[in-house]
Amino acid sequence: MPRSSPPVPRRRGTRRRLALGTQAAVALLLLLVVVVLVSLAASTYVLRRDLEQQYEQRALAIARSLASDPTVAQRVTTDRPDPAGPLQQQAERIRRETQALYVVVTDDHGIRFSHPTPSNVGKMVSTSPDEALRGREVVTIEKGTLGYSARGKVPLRNADGQVVGEVSVGIATSEISHETRKLVLLLALVALAPLAVGVVGAVTLVRRLRRTTLGLEPEEMADLLREHAAVLGGVRDAVVAVDTDGRVTVSNPEADRLVGPSAGRGLRRGTTIEDSGAGPELVDLFQQEPAPDGVLRVVGGRVVVATRLVVQRDGRDLGQVLILRDRSDLDHLARELEATRALTDALRAQSHEHRNRLHTLTGMLHHGDLDAARGYVEELNAQTTWVTGVDDPYLAGLLAAKAAAASEAGVSLVVSEATWLDARVVHPLDVVTVVGNLIDNGIRAAEEGARDPRWVEVTLVSDGADLVVHVADSGDGVPPELAGQLYDHGFTTRDSSAAGHGIGLALARHTARAHGGDVTLVDGGGADHGAAFEAVLAGVLATRPADRRTQEESVR
């Protein structure tokens, strides 16, 4: 944060920053030195091992070439060891041409027929010839009479394929050491380049560190981080931030509570929003264009107000921040108000209709038309619609209110004969939310549909403590291609610009699922009917009739 410091504290800060930069530079240089030394040692080991293998194969190739000469096996079996013999001369010529340390030919007892030191001809070899005499080729580094050498030993066979001796060729390891020193020197010269780059990188790191931290010291950054965590943990809104690649960088405890995984874990930071454990509703809010600004959504079964902001610095986009304000408490009160309003509307409609009928009956009696009055009363009794089979006052009042609203829209609301609900509702607000939204959707569909007569049929059945709701209408139905979008937030078949539409079915489904049930489209429509929805709410009915006090406490 911007601040003005007196001269003495600023000089202290400068010394701390220089010390921090120096430590970073020294650490980087030490790391480079260690890496270079380890790499040099490993490269030296690998190079020497490769050279040893090359010299072993070279010695083996020379031995194979000499052993393939049939005259060598013939002379070993027919001649005697002679320091001036043809085998000695042939072996010495090959040794000089190949610059080998020695070329030794022996018989099947290990007696030398050739050696760089003529006095050793006719003597037993210093290293065991058993492997070669068994018919196996051997490569190794051993110490002999001439010192350490890379050796290749090949069995010497006669024309019949029998082993009659061995050919052993050695190349001095001093040549290996000489070649290794040259390669190590070359590698050391090459290693100076990364060391030089490291010095430049250390200086660059110090400067970049100062720019990146905005001149703040580690203690100051720690204080800022604690303040940041305190602010995010103290706000009542959910805050989720992602970078330009869509990876979650920040999520406060409220966000973890609202949209985190169901197991109680928070959002997985550092992963994309799709893989962070957030639900599809949150992913949709980050992908929605234009960005939501104070829009109402249902996320994780809760009604929230969503706002998405773009974070910029120096004209560059750094990511996005989504702010979710939980409106569940307000929504709870709104649903309670809706339930009360439904009962009030039902009473108002019945009172208005009852007053008109009383006025008509009074007029008939005033004129003395007793027969007409009697017939009018009988006709009213025949036309009166009673919500039978529903013992719960909330649902009975809701159905009466919705019947009045449907009548005003030119739609007939029918409670089917299969309805039977002899238990009281223990979660009236949630039940009214689900049933009311389904009936409202049915009334709108029937009102806007092309069929006559326009009707909505409701069936309520209790299954133990579970409530099963079935709502069908006479509307145009739901096209198959739109069936999968019905429960998407904001989806509506009406004018999408109209406020308040596109959330009813989503809210009903979330509410039903919160009670272990669901809302499903069981029939998209037919020749004589429109769409039919079914809702199941588990555990919303009392196992025995509940008194009004229990009902009121549940509402509160």
Side-chain angles (χ1 to χ4, degrees), residues 68-136:
S68 63
D69 187 351
T71 61
V72 175
Q74 181 180 0
R75 288 170 179 168
V76 166
T77 56
T78 58
D79 297 347
R80 295 179 61 83
D82 184 0
L87 270 182
Q88 171 71 359
Q89 296 176 3
Q90 182 181 4
E92 283 299 294
R93 177 177 55 80
I94 293 175
R95 182 184 66 80
R96 289 191 296 270
E97 290 176 353
T98 59
Q99 297 182 349
L101 178 64
Y102 66 85
V103 176
V104 174
V105 180
T106 72
D107 60 11
D108 55 357
H109 297 290
I111 303 301
R112 299 188 184 99
F113 275 71
S114 64
H115 196 272
T117 303
S119 60
N120 288 331
V121 175
K123 296 181 180 180
M124 187 72 178
V125 293
S126 60
T127 58
S128 174
D130 294 342
E131 291 295 322
L133 294 178
R134 292 193 187 101
R136 300 175 185 172

Side-chain angles (χ1 to χ4, degrees), residues 218-528:
E219 297 82 0
E220 296 170 322
M221 289 187 289
D223 291 339
L224 284 178
L225 182 60
R226 284 189 286 267
E227 294 172 4
H228 170 82
V231 171
L232 285 180
V235 297
R236 300 298 301 271
D237 296 342
V239 179
V240 181
V242 299
D243 59 15
T244 53
D245 295 327
R247 294 189 297 266
V248 177
T249 56
V250 174
S251 67
N252 65 345
E254 182 68 9
D256 296 337
R257 182 183 70 85
L258 285 179
V259 298
S262 58
R265 302 183 302 272
L267 296 177
R268 292 189 291 273
R269 297 171 180 82
T271 62
T272 61
I273 190 65
E274 293 85 357
D275 300 330
S276 65
E281 304 93 345
L282 191 69
V283 177
D284 179 68
L285 287 173
F286 271 105
Q287 296 175 349
Q288 179 180 334
E289 294 296 341
D293 185 9
V295 300
L296 202 63
R297 287 288 185 271
V298 179
V299 176
R302 294 178 175 269
V303 179
V304 299
V305 177
T307 300
R308 194 176 84 222
L309 304 174
V310 177
V311 181
Q312 292 184 334
R313 177 183 173 186
D314 299 331
R316 297 185 298 110
D317 289 345
L318 300 181
Q320 301 182 80
V321 175
L322 182 66
I323 302 173
L324 303 177
R325 180 168 299 171
D326 192 358
R327 291 285 300 273
S328 298
D329 293 340
L330 294 178
D331 178 66
H332 183 80
L333 294 176
R335 285 189 284 166
E336 182 177 353
L337 178 61
E338 177 66 21
T340 305
R341 183 179 298 168
L343 294 175
T344 305
D345 289 344
L347 293 175
R348 178 185 56 79
Q350 291 178 359
S351 175
H352 180 73
E353 186 176 2
H354 183 65
R355 185 169 55 252
N356 290 336
R357 291 173 177 176
L358 285 179
H359 288 166
T360 302
L361 185 60
T362 300
M364 290 180 178
L365 295 176
H366 181 73
H367 286 87
D369 296 332
L370 297 180
D371 293 336
R374 185 182 298 108
Y376 182 64
V377 171
E378 292 177 353
E379 184 180 354
L380 288 179
N381 288 332
Q383 291 181 354
T384 300
T385 301
W386 301 97
V387 180
T388 60
V390 178
D391 188 44
D392 183 78
Y394 286 93
L395 287 176
L398 175 67
L399 292 175
K402 295 301 182 184
S407 178
E408 294 176 359
V411 179
S412 174
L413 179 63
V414 181
V415 179
S416 72
E417 296 180 357
T419 294
W420 182 254
L421 186 64
D422 59 348
R424 296 294 182 91
V425 173
V426 294
H427 297 282
L429 298 183
D430 292 340
V431 172
V432 166
T433 296
V434 176
V435 178
N437 275 296
L438 291 181
I439 293 177
D440 288 340
N441 283 340
I443 293 174
R444 284 195 295 267
E447 180 184 4
E448 298 171 359
R451 292 189 180 94
D452 282 319
R454 293 174 168 82
W455 54 266
V456 174
E457 184 181 65
V458 181
T459 304
L460 302 174
V461 179
S462 60
D463 183 9
D466 301 342
L467 173 63
V468 180
V469 184
H470 190 276
V471 178
D473 59 67
S474 62
D476 296 331
V478 178
E481 63 272 12
L482 299 181
Q485 307 176 42
L486 288 175
Y487 309 102
D488 293 346
H489 305 301
F491 175 79
T492 177
T493 56
R494 310 185 78 188
D495 182 9
S496 59
S497 62
H501 295 300
I503 196 173
L505 279 178
L507 181 59
R509 167 169 272 193
H510 278 291
T511 304
R513 287 182 172 178
H515 288 280
D518 203 352
V519 174
T520 56
L521 175 68
V522 295
D523 191 347
D528 57 347

